[in-house]
Amino acid sequence: MSSMLAMELRATAMPLTDVTRPVPRPAAHQVLVAVEACGVCRTDLHVIDGELRNAKLPLVPGHEIVGTVVETGNDVHGLHVGERVGIPWLAYTCGACHYCLAGQENLCDLARFTGYTVDGGYAEYALADARYCFPLPADRDPHELAPWLCAGLIGYRALRFAGDGKRIGIYGFGAAAHMIAQVCRHQEREVFAFTREGDVAAQRFARKLGAAWAGGSEESAPSKLDAAILFAPVGALVPKALRDVRKGGRVVCAGIHMSDIPSFPYDILWGERSVRSVANLTRQDATEFIALARQANIESSVTPYALRDANEALRALRDGHVLGAAVLDPKVKASGTV
Ligand SMILES: [Zn+2]
Ligand SMILES: [Zn+2]
């Protein structure tokens, strides 16, 4: 174990390149993890496309990492070799700024992010600061666990900000939505799923997961919603969702990047409706979501890809051809190899 396969972004707006890199060694607070699975998230597309600026280059993307600890640094406490861990988007926070001290480490000015400002999990091995990893159940399929680490966590944070309302609209029915729909069902809420226009497969998928209604994002909600969660990175959905929610209703934008929001008349915001974004996650979100996911017995639908086929997985996600989540697995054979 001295070298490893990694998929590397060398310049933005370019396909990833497969490279052989030395297996890194953990510093004092770090663990070295053998990657079992790494989810492919829409944020990876925003990083690769350069819509999120100042990515580390060259970069190994990927921030939904499930793996086994194979080596620990001298100052690691509470994680052990052989243990299965999850490595999420939040890689490091300063612990001293106004936000960190106020319980909002997700907003830390000095935060670092996995697969964006530090290398991530599109590789056979990944390094992570042990203080930001958390144990995952050893008895579950690693493919199924990968989407928990961002789609699940960010989706959960968005659902918390949506409040206690019963009627939840979900706009964009991908990896995060398919998990949050199951949480809503567990919490006895009603889900209204809005997909790309004419995406019958996604609408059928949403109904299968318990959605009370599914239709195209251009359709009006069948009755007023208590809250709307936008997973699709489409700014035009903000005024649309404002029109779908009742007075006092909330519109939560869960994505890290969105196209421009068109101007809209004040009267659709009037009535104490609100719009807010969700940024990153805290370690508390991770702890809460993992407990909830186990309790609600959330199942993820995943399409596994070989690590070497990362570009293909990204293309499928971009084109809207993934039902549920795409996951890279270093042990799956690449297409075209024998
Ligand atoms: Zn901080
Ligand atoms: Zn993500």
Side-chain angles (χ1 to χ4, degrees):
M1 180 188 91
S2 58
S3 65
M4 65 173 190
L5 170 68
M7 297 301 290
E8 200 173 80
L9 178 71
R10 295 182 166 176
T12 54
M14 293 286 288
L16 306 182
T17 310
D18 57 296
V19 294
T20 301
R21 285 188 171 194
V23 174
R25 301 295 310 275
H29 284 290
Q30 287 180 319
V31 285
L32 177 68
V33 167
V35 176
E36 295 178 273
C38 183
V40 178
C41 175
R42 181 162 296 280
T43 298
D44 300 338
L45 290 177
H46 296 313
V47 170
I48 291 165
D49 293 347
E51 288 163 335
L52 296 187
R53 274 177 288 200
N54 304 320
K56 163 192 175 298
L57 288 176
L59 172 75
V60 178
H63 56 269
E64 296 183 310
I65 308 169
V66 178
T68 309
V69 176
V70 291
E71 194 177 349
T72 58
N74 295 331
D75 227 347
V76 169
H77 307 284
L79 288 182
H80 307 282
V81 170
E83 198 169 349
R84 177 180 276 170
V85 293
I87 305 173
W89 172 247
L90 189 71
Y92 170 84
T93 57
C94 77
C97 73
H98 167 77
Y99 296 110
C100 283
L101 296 176
Q104 292 176 298
E105 64 180 358
N106 59 308
L107 301 179
C108 174
D109 286 328
L110 297 173
R112 293 183 209 138
F113 300 103
T114 311
Y116 176 32
T117 56
V118 301
D119 280 333
Y122 286 19
E124 290 179 291
Y125 294 89
L127 280 180
D129 188 319
R131 296 166 295 185
Y132 296 83
C133 303
F134 38 86
L136 286 176
D139 59 346
R140 304 276 299 238
D141 175 1
H143 292 180
E144 271 214 28
L145 292 172
W148 288 21
L149 289 156
C150 178
L153 295 183
I154 301 284
Y156 168 71
R157 189 172 175 84
L159 183 62
R160 267 205 304 123
F161 289 141
D164 295 330
K166 285 266 182 258
R167 300 165 61 78
I168 307 294
I170 297 182
Y171 297 68
F173 208 84
H178 98 285
M179 269 180 284
I180 292 315
Q182 295 177 67
V183 173
C184 286
R185 190 171 60 179
H186 174 72
Q187 295 175 337
E188 299 182 344
R189 308 197 208 210
E190 275 186 297
V191 167
F192 298 79
F194 296 85
T195 69
R196 292 186 203 203
E197 199 175 340
D199 192 348
V200 179
Q203 291 164 16
R204 200 182 306 126
F205 183 50
R207 281 191 214 99
K208 199 177 112 194
L209 292 173
W213 177 91
S217 59
E218 76 290 356
E219 294 180 47
S220 301
S223 54
K224 290 289 182 191
L225 307 172
D226 295 315
I229 302 174
L230 274 56
F231 291 118
V234 180
L237 287 174
V238 172
K240 165 62 172 51
L242 276 170
R243 289 190 165 95
D244 285 338
V245 298
R246 62 166 171 79
K247 284 184 283 188
R250 305 176 184 191
V251 175
V252 181
C253 305
I256 195 166
H257 177 84
M258 193 179 246
S259 56
D260 284 356
I261 301 170
S263 71
F264 55 83
Y266 179 59
D267 68 349
I268 63 172
L269 180 63
W270 169 251
E272 300 196 341
R273 293 173 181 87
S274 61
V275 178
R276 75 172 295 165
S277 64
V278 167
N280 314 316
L281 69 137
T282 66
R283 285 172 279 182
Q284 181 68 23
D285 293 325
T287 307
E288 287 177 18
F289 174 72
I290 286 171
L292 179 61
R294 300 194 72 163
Q295 197 188 17
N297 203 18
I298 287 191
E299 291 180 4
S300 353
S301 293
V302 295
T303 308
Y305 287 83
L307 176 57
R308 255 182 227 283
D309 289 337
N311 289 311
E312 201 183 303
L314 288 161
R315 196 176 316 119
L317 177 63
R318 189 188 296 282
D319 295 343
H321 293 157
V322 179
L323 272 189
V327 170
L328 304 180
D329 180 339
K331 291 201 174 66
V332 170
K333 271 210 166 72
S335 58
T337 61
V338 284

